[in-house]
Amino acid sequence: MRCFLGLSVLLLATPALTLGDGLSPPEGAWVYLRSQLYSTRAINEIGDETMSIEAPGSTPDPSATPVVVHFGPALVGKLKQVRVIIDNNPSPLVTMMSLKSGLPVNEIDLRVRIDRFTSVRAIAETGDGHLEMRSTWVNASGGCSAPPSAAEGGMLGQIRFRPSSDRKALQFSIRHPNNSGFQIDPRSGDSIPPHYIAHLRLLEGTEVVMEADTGISLSENPTVRIATSEPLRGPLTVEATDAPTEARYTGTWEGGGLAAR
Amino acid sequence: MTGGAAGGAGGGAVVPLDVEEVAPGVFVHRGKPLALDAPGHDDIANIGFIIGTSCVAVIDTGGSVRIGRALHAAVKAQTSVPICYVINTHVHVDHVLGDAAFTDEGAVFVGHELLGAALARSRDFFLQSHAADLDAPASAAQIIGPSRSVAIGSDMALDLGGRALVLHAWPRAHTDCDLTVYDASSGTLWTGDLLFVQRTPAVDGSIKGWLAVSDALASLPLRAVVKHVVPGHGAPGTDLARALAVQRRYLQGLADTVRAQIARGEPLQDALQEARRAPRSEWLLWDATHPRNVARVYQELEWE
């Protein structure tokens, strides 16, 4: 139930948001979350070679905006945890991701819903407690209430892997509506209740190499891509937990080439 | 002259929208090739009306109540036959926001069976982002849902007196609620946004669906008798097959390109980068529309 509690706390944070003057990014949610999550700890925000975040400033699709977080040599192999936060989303915390010590991750990509003009930020914590944050601004609206796309349907929980040709990146996607609770059913006109992937685990055998709390800010068919400085070796298993059903979906990448069609 | 609808908020007389008679009794106002957020964005779609001996059918009403009133005035400048029907070809703002200008006359609003729900889910967006295109204060009452709807895959005939319109509701293509209107007496096919001419086609429904519907339109038995084509955007013409082929080239090329990117394992962000770097095209408003299409099509095709 941890995930539900996490979500409701974040929803409670929403009234604390203040609209900006339209020129400077409003940071209401971040001010609140920073004190909640990191208290008064120092967070470094300078240096593209250490860490950077990219998202299209005017996203072509607010309901599926790619966010790319790069980590430089100073952080590769030292990451312990990464949070991605969309300040002005109804549920700002996109994910809190924990990584196995020593995993040489140099990039994490997500596909997210953008509800309105917002900063998108990533905060990385190393094993020795050092914090780095980078942010970027996205002009978009409506990503949380966008109707299900043409790709809706299919087999709920099906997991598809797409490794890069050099095996230094692996994308996995879960066939799932990831309904935000702010969408309307095109047939009935009724509101669609929240139904999302709440937790993800990536396992090498029985060892967890990556674990993430997730929620409604991930796009339909939640998609995560991880790039590493060394080629990935399979088999790797993804385990995704559904909320509210608590159903668990699993899929395994055996380490081969492009996913079979 | 005209009734309440023409007595607009400004108080002055409403200037009738300029219309062209593309076939006897078939009047089209040409929308302008402007961006969705440009000044004049309420006048970008082709809208118009067809006059029978007992009824007028209005087809799409423009992107504001103001444009709707000007279209209403254009009808009244042509005929005293009453407006019995207002047909919306799909849910997009540039085609439906003028609907409120036609409520005083008791017209029946007609659309695809999914149009009502599509309008319901667009309501907040219309009220927030297009408040200035509605009468102040913007209200949900100005967004008119269809009182008569056409089931997917089926036809509905509307008798205008001396001429019959055949409406057809399509499966998901440009949107999930696309409707075409065929006037047999003049051989005019009104495609809504199932056909874009000059303006970059916007994929808001399904690329695979749209390609299938394009083929269905191109092979319709009525194709042989279509003499006039009114696209949702761009110049009306006479050659349906050619206009569809031009559009198909773009849609098929888009699908092929994105499929290849997915097959190579390129993530969405790389596909979007390539879309922005793609050579400029003759299609209008390419920079705004093409990357968005790539984002949509990528998500649709990655689960094939």
Side-chain angles (χ1 to χ4, degrees):
Chain A
M1 294 306 290
R2 189 161 51 105
C3 304
F4 288 115
L5 289 172
L7 184 65
S8 59
V9 165
L10 292 167
L11 288 169
L12 284 175
T14 309
L17 292 177
T18 48
L19 279 171
D21 54 14
L23 300 172
S24 54
E27 293 189 331
W30 171 238
V31 170
Y32 173 83
L33 289 170
R34 191 209 196 284
S35 68
Q36 292 291 307
L37 302 174
Y38 300 106
S39 184
T40 55
R41 295 168 62 191
I43 304 180
N44 183 52
E45 300 184 34
I46 300 165
D48 280 353
E49 67 289 347
T50 305
M51 178 171 166
S52 64
I53 184 168
E54 288 167 28
S58 55
T59 176
D61 185 352
S63 68
T65 299
V67 175
V68 177
V69 185
H70 293 284
F71 305 102
L75 295 179
V76 172
K78 303 195 175 85
L79 293 169
K80 179 180 143 197
Q81 186 192 77
V82 177
R83 283 191 171 98
V84 176
I85 291 172
I86 300 175
D87 285 11
N88 292 338
N89 265 14
S91 177
L93 184 56
V94 180
T95 185
M96 184 188 83
M97 196 177 277
S98 303
L99 301 162
K100 187 186 87 165
S101 173
L103 193 70
V105 171
N106 58 23
E107 187 180 308
I108 296 172
D109 308 345
L110 301 169
R111 227 180 269 176
V112 301
R113 300 179 183 274
I114 304 281
D115 197 51
R116 57 198 174 95
F117 294 19
T118 188
S119 281
V120 177
R121 63 184 79 236
I123 305 100
E125 181 167 356
T126 59
D128 58 8
H130 178 73
L131 294 170
E132 290 280 346
M133 176 171 81
R134 301 294 182 272
S135 67
T136 186
W137 180 248
V138 179
N139 276 332
S141 65
C144 290
S145 54
S149 80
E152 70 173 315
M155 196 179 79
L156 187 71
Q158 179 192 351
I159 296 176
R160 180 166 284 192
F161 294 90
R162 292 188 194 283
S164 64
S165 52
D166 61 5
R167 310 282 198 280
K168 287 185 175 177
L170 179 67
Q171 173 177 296
F172 55 91
S173 312
I174 302 128
R175 189 83 151 148
H176 194 285
N178 224 56
N179 295 129
S180 64
F182 300 93
Q183 297 163 285
I184 291 183
D185 185 317
R187 288 190 173 265
S188 66
D190 296 335
S191 166
I192 303 173
H195 179 205
Y196 56 94
I197 296 296
H199 197 71
L200 287 171
R201 296 207 301 171
L202 185 65
L203 300 122
E204 196 171 14
T206 54
E207 187 188 19
V208 178
V209 294
M210 186 280 285
E211 184 162 22
D213 285 334
T214 53
I216 62 167
S217 285
L218 285 185
S219 305
E220 182 178 300
N221 300 322
T223 296
V224 176
R225 187 170 181 271
I226 290 177
T228 50
S229 53
E230 300 294 323
L232 288 159
R233 278 202 305 269
L236 288 170
T237 296
V238 168
E239 207 179 79
T241 309
D242 177 291
T245 69
E246 299 189 21
R248 191 166 289 180
Y249 313 112
T250 60
T252 298
W253 173 62
E254 298 295 347
L258 290 173
R261 310 206 110 217
Chain B
M1 280 292 290
T2 57
V14 173
V15 178
L17 213 51
D18 58 291
V19 291
E20 174 192 355
E21 190 168 11
V22 298
V26 178
F27 293 83
V28 179
H29 168 74
R30 284 277 303 276
K32 298 174 178 62
L34 297 169
L36 296 170
D37 55 357
H41 66 267
D42 58 340
D43 184 17
I44 63 175
N46 291 337
I47 60 179
F49 51 91
I50 299 177
I51 304 174
T53 56
S54 57
C55 279
V56 173
V58 168
I59 305 173
D60 288 338
T61 57
S64 68
V65 180
R66 185 182 67 83
I67 292 291
R69 285 207 184 87
L71 178 64
H72 185 277
V75 175
K76 296 305 167 187
Q78 296 293 336
T79 181
S80 57
V81 170
I83 299 169
C84 305
Y85 304 105
V86 174
I87 301 164
N88 289 129
T89 59
H90 62 293
V91 69
H92 282 159
V93 65
D94 48 329
H95 297 258
V96 302
L97 274 199
D99 283 9
F102 296 90
T103 50
D104 288 356
E105 246 183 271
V108 173
F109 286 74
V110 190
H112 188 287
E113 66 171 310
L114 294 182
L115 176 64
L119 284 165
R121 74 173 184 248
S122 302
R123 193 184 298 129
D124 289 348
F125 167 71
F126 289 171
L127 293 178
Q128 284 162 21
S129 301
H130 290 272
D133 298 324
L134 296 165
D135 282 342
S139 66
Q142 296 175 59
I143 298 163
I144 318 294
S147 49
R148 200 183 286 181
S149 64
V150 186
I152 293 177
S154 70
D155 291 340
M156 175 187 284
L158 296 179
D159 182 10
L160 303 187
R163 71 199 309 165
L165 303 185
V166 179
L167 281 49
H168 187 86
W170 297 89
R172 176 134 70 176
H174 165 67
T175 65
D176 68 355
C177 52
D178 301 308
L179 186 81
T180 51
V181 180
Y182 180 63
D183 170 44
S185 74
S186 66
T188 303
L189 179 67
W190 209 296
T191 63
D193 281 4
L194 288 174
L195 176 63
F196 280 65
V197 172
Q198 291 132 344
R199 188 182 179 106
T200 312
V203 184
D204 201 22
S206 157
I207 185 78
K208 290 203 278 187
W210 200 348
L211 284 165
V213 168
S214 289
D215 292 347
L217 278 170
S219 60
L220 279 183
L222 63 75
R223 184 189 130 205
V225 291
V226 170
K227 298 196 212 61
H228 305 279
V229 186
V230 182
H233 298 270
T238 54
D239 190 342
L240 174 65
R242 187 177 171 280
L244 283 169
V246 171
Q247 174 176 273
R248 194 181 208 296
R249 199 147 53 227
Y250 170 70
L251 294 176
Q252 188 66 57
L254 174 64
D256 292 348
T257 301
V258 172
R259 254 193 205 109
Q261 289 167 329
I262 293 168
R264 285 196 298 270
E266 284 182 35
L268 175 61
Q269 60 267 24
D270 292 2
L272 292 177
Q273 288 280 354
E274 275 180 45
R276 282 189 209 94
R277 285 197 305 260
R280 290 300 272 277
S281 144
E282 287 177 12
W283 290 102
L284 301 174
L285 297 156
W286 174 264
D287 291 349
T289 312
H290 179 65
R292 190 167 168 277
N293 287 342
V294 169
R296 294 296 179 94
V297 170
Y298 188 103
Q299 292 171 76
E300 180 181 347
L301 298 184
E302 70 184 334
W303 287 95
E304 277 184 318

